[in-house]
Amino acid sequence: IANSIHSGVAVIYAAAGTYAGNIYISGGITVSAFFSGNATINGAILVERGSHLSFLSNNGNPTITVNATATDLSYAAALLVNAGSSFYSAIDIYISGGTSNYQYAAVVAVSSGGSIYTSKNITISGNSNYGIYLREGCILRCESNIELDNSITVGYAIRIIDASILMVYGNVTYNGTITTCALYIERSSALQCDGTFSAKTTNSSSYYVVAIRHASAAIISSFILNYNKNTTSSIGISVESNAVAVLGTLEVSSVKNTSHFVQAIYGGVILVTASYKLSGTSNYACTYALDGGYFYLDSSATVTNSATGQRYLADCNSIINVNGAGANRLPGSSNGNATNSSYYK
């Protein structure tokens, strides 16, 4: 199974056990691998140039473990799918590995119209620039859960750019160490999470912990963010440049002081429909809208206030809309303000 296949169609029956070497599928072929038990692949996986790889089971529900060491990663990822190719898994898969020696290095990477589709869980571990990196019109669709486990150390936990899409029908969990952003979506890309997106991050040095930018969109049933920044000049969640975030539950907490927990700026839109909770201390304003930004809190949403700081600031033609619920509707400990043709209503 751990070999190079360059042409035709292959069906492989793989026994439980350990397989050594990279898997390289290329040249427009289709490979289906049926596993009869738990298996470990000590190598990286590359699917490219219009090819298709499937991991299936012919005996129960095994788990596949992919362990890619730095010497395996000439592909710059433990699992890389690109150039109009696809990877499908009907088996729980654990992917470990990584390197930071390449600009696009990731544990899991999809690019150039590639796709990953799994009906089971994905667990990711390792050290790299990215945990999950989607770019150039690709898609990752998971009908179960994605977990980036607490042993992972990455620059970005998840980055989605250039008209790419991440769809998760279950939960996304991240409890590792980041050096840049937990979640970064930009340039007409999208994230859909039907369950809970939970991120607990440490050691982030970026201005934003979560950024949704440049006409991108996020639709998340429940978004929970806990962050511990190296500096106090930080933003928990920033939605900007005509991007939109539709969130059912939004809970943001900061271990250290922060500038804003949540901000909508430069035409960015945030809609919170079910509940809103902020915890920690803001040095500037807990909820912030600037330069045409729009923040909306549904009238039926519950609010939990564990925050210290100015409740809100709307500035430069921005709107914070709480449906007439009054000046104390949003979390914080001091009065908010709306200036320069902006509104709080």
Side-chain angles (χ1 to χ4, degrees):
I1 182 174
N3 222 322
S4 296
I5 302 173
H6 296 276
S7 62
V9 176
V11 178
I12 298 170
Y13 293 92
T18 300
Y19 298 88
N22 295 336
I23 298 176
Y24 177 41
I25 312 295
S26 181
I29 70 164
T30 298
V31 177
S32 298
F34 289 84
F35 292 88
S36 60
N38 295 341
T40 297
I41 299 167
N42 288 325
I45 299 174
L46 170 61
V47 188
E48 68 168 0
R49 295 171 56 196
S51 298
H52 308 280
L53 172 64
S54 297
F55 281 180
L56 308 166
S57 170
N58 59 358
N59 184 22
N61 185 29
T63 297
I64 305 302
T65 300
V66 179
N67 289 324
T69 66
T71 56
D72 298 320
L73 293 171
S74 58
Y75 310 143
L79 172 60
L80 173 59
V81 182
N82 67 14
S85 298
S86 66
F87 172 77
Y88 170 75
S89 180
I91 302 173
D92 289 339
I93 185 166
Y94 180 96
I95 306 171
S96 177
T99 177
S100 57
N101 294 332
Y102 308 94
Q103 178 182 359
Y104 302 119
V107 182
V108 174
V110 192
S111 64
S112 303
S115 64
I116 292 177
Y117 169 44
T118 174
S119 58
K120 297 292 186 176
N121 297 318
I122 305 173
T123 303
I124 296 171
S125 181
N127 302 307
S128 191
N129 293 341
Y130 307 97
I132 297 174
Y133 190 21
L134 311 180
R135 62 189 180 98
E136 298 170 348
C138 68
I139 184 168
L140 192 163
R141 174 180 168 182
C142 176
E143 292 190 350
S144 191
N145 304 307
I146 295 177
E147 178 185 1
L148 291 85
D149 71 18
N150 57 14
S151 67
I152 197 168
T153 299
V154 292
Y156 295 77
I158 299 174
R159 188 174 188 183
I160 312 166
I161 68 171
D162 298 333
S164 296
I165 300 172
L166 173 61
M167 301 174 63
V168 184
Y169 294 178
N171 302 320
V172 178
T173 305
Y174 178 73
N175 291 312
T177 297
I178 62 170
T179 57
T180 307
C181 287
L183 173 65
Y184 196 91
I185 310 172
E186 67 173 338
R187 299 200 290 267
S188 303
S189 297
L191 164 66
Q192 173 190 327
C193 179
D194 293 347
T196 297
F197 191 109
S198 176
K200 184 177 181 180
T201 69
T202 58
N203 299 332
S204 171
S205 60
S206 174
Y207 188 56
Y208 307 126
V209 181
V210 172
I212 305 167
R213 314 175 68 198
H214 303 143
S216 296
I219 302 174
I220 303 172
S221 179
S222 179
F223 198 161
I224 301 173
L225 174 64
N226 179 287
Y227 60 99
N228 184 0
K229 292 276 291 183
N230 287 335
T231 65
T232 58
S233 59
S234 60
I235 307 296
I237 298 175
S238 181
V239 180
E240 57 188 73
S241 303
N242 301 312
V244 177
V246 180
L247 311 171
T249 295
L250 176 57
E251 298 183 10
V252 184
S253 59
S254 178
V255 175
K256 298 179 179 179
N257 290 10
T258 189
S259 291
H260 313 295
F261 295 100
V262 176
Q263 70 175 21
I265 62 175
Y266 312 140
V269 175
I270 300 174
L271 310 177
V272 180
T273 62
S275 66
Y276 189 39
K277 178 180 178 179
L278 302 181
S279 303
T281 299
S282 167
N283 294 326
Y284 192 33
C286 295
T287 303
Y288 183 52
L290 173 72
D291 288 339
Y294 182 81
F295 177 90
Y296 172 87
L297 181 65
D298 193 84
S299 59
S300 63
T302 60
V303 174
T304 302
N305 184 6
S306 299
T308 300
Q310 187 178 30
R311 294 181 185 275
Y312 64 87
L313 175 61
D315 195 10
C316 297
N317 301 296
S318 299
I319 297 174
I320 295 178
N321 185 355
V322 296
N323 287 285
N328 296 327
R329 172 67 164 156
L330 295 176
S333 58
S334 61
N335 294 335
N337 194 19
T339 61
N340 297 318
S341 301
S342 296
Y343 298 94
Y344 175 89
K345 60 180 183 177

